[in-house]
């Protein structure tokens, strides 16, 4: 199945979720994340701000702050994505793609040990990932190797096998509601 067809099929399944289902599934996924060694050991969390029917990340970011972690989220500047330190949700505004991002262009997050939460459309058990088509995370990870990466996704987003390209960077772990 090509990426365009995959995006259509997964997109339909995500749009079929009710707001309540999204919140409930997201809470399960967040709790599973909090139980991982990767989360517990991380002092810094590079998260993202969920959009449309993605797994809700605000509660995760709030918990990270409560757990004493420093949090950064992405901002697209030109063709480049940067992680910007975030101190409050008040420091956000709608960005170029309609996704919330930091109002300021800095300070840029610079910790090589940060745990990175990875958004995506679909994943497989080997950590292969199909994103939304911009390549921002793949380029960022290629320039900043060595970060631990975790993807949170709904069960239907985890496929047996994904065809990816050479530049597509795998995630270290995928967490679903049942995996």
């Amino acid at each position: 199945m090509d990426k365009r067809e995959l995006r259509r099929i997964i997109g339909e399944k995500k749009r079929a979720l009710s707001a309540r289902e999204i919140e409930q599934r997201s809470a399960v996924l967040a709790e599973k994340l909090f139980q991982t060694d990767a989360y517990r050991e991380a002092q810094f969390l590079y998260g993202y701000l969920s959009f449309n029917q993605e797994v809700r990340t605000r509660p995760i970011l709030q918990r990270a702050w409560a757990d004493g972690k420093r949090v950064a989220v992405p901002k697209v500047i030109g063709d480049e994505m940067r992680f910007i330190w975030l101190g409050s949700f008040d420091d956000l505004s709608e960005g170029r793609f309609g996704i919330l991002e930091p109002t300021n262009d800095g300070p840029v997050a610079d910790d090589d040990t940060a745990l990175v939460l990875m958004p995506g459309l679909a994943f497989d058990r080997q950590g292969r990932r199909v994103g939304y088509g911009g390549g921002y995370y793949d380029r960022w990870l290629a320039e900043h190797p060595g970060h631990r990466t975790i993807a949170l996704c709904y069960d239907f987003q985890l496929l047996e096998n994904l065809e990816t390209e050479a530049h597509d960077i795998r995630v270290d772990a995928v967490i679903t509601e049942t995996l």
Side-chain angles (χ1 to χ4, degrees), residues 35-48:
Q35 299 306 312
T36 66
D37 289 340
Y39 176 82
R40 287 194 304 264
E41 294 168 4
Q43 294 179 26
F44 307 94
L45 179 69
Y46 292 3
Y48 61 93

Side-chain angles (χ1 to χ4, degrees), residues 69-123:
K69 300 179 192 304
R70 194 161 183 205
V71 173
V73 295
K75 180 170 186 165
V76 175
I77 302 170
D79 289 337
E80 181 183 317
M81 181 183 80
R82 297 179 190 159
F83 280 95
I84 306 296
W85 293 120
L86 185 68
S88 164
F89 292 130
D90 294 335
D91 300 331
L92 300 171
S93 61
E94 190 173 301
R96 180 164 107 196
F97 300 106
I99 300 169
L100 289 176
E101 57 183 27
T103 305
N104 297 322
D105 293 347
V108 175
D110 58 356
D111 188 88
D112 293 335
T113 66
L115 173 62
V116 180
L117 294 185
M118 297 289 293
L121 185 77
F123 305 87

